[in-house]
């Protein structure tokens, strides 16, 4: 089972297990990770679950899809190459 490490702005870390195929957003919601609002329910229309993927994992995770790219143009947090 994959694990996902969420790191808050204050440096607090929370690692959770997620079933294969589960989105990072859904894993956060299921495990009560603070800061992931998911106001759109995963429809890629609010960018409240904008994440930065560790550079070592970017190639394994793949880049953002077209809908994600569009949302990253207006996210509140700075867009980075690993967004």
């Amino acid at each position: 089972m994959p694990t996902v490490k969420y790191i808050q702005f204050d440096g607090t870390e929370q690692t959770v297990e997620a079933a294969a195929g589960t989105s990072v957003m859904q894993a956060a919601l299921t495990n009560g990770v603070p800061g992931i609002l998911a106001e759109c329910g995963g429809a890629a229309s609010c960018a409240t679950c904008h994440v930065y993927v560790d550079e070592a994992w970017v190639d394994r995770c793949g880049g953002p899809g077209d809908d994600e790219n569009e949302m990253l143009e207006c996210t509140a947090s700075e867009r980075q190459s690993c967004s």
Side-chain angles (χ1 to χ4, degrees):
M1 185 173 288
T3 59
V4 181
K5 181 189 294 184
Y6 300 88
I7 304 172
Q8 301 295 318
F9 285 107
D10 66 0
T12 302
E13 296 182 7
Q14 182 176 350
T15 301
V16 303
E17 291 188 352
T22 301
S23 71
V24 174
M25 179 208 72
Q26 188 58 52
L29 292 175
T30 300
N31 291 282
V33 175
I36 305 295
L37 304 178
E39 292 176 345
C40 70
S45 62
C46 71
T48 61
C49 61
H50 176 199
V51 301
Y52 301 113
V53 177
D54 186 293
E55 292 290 346
W57 287 88
V58 170
D59 288 339
R60 291 183 76 180
C61 292
D66 291 340
D67 54 346
E68 293 168 320
N69 263 324
E70 186 175 327
M71 285 310 308
L72 288 169
E73 295 301 322
C74 62
T75 186
S77 300
E78 178 184 355
R79 182 179 184 161
Q80 298 179 9
S81 63
C82 59
S83 289

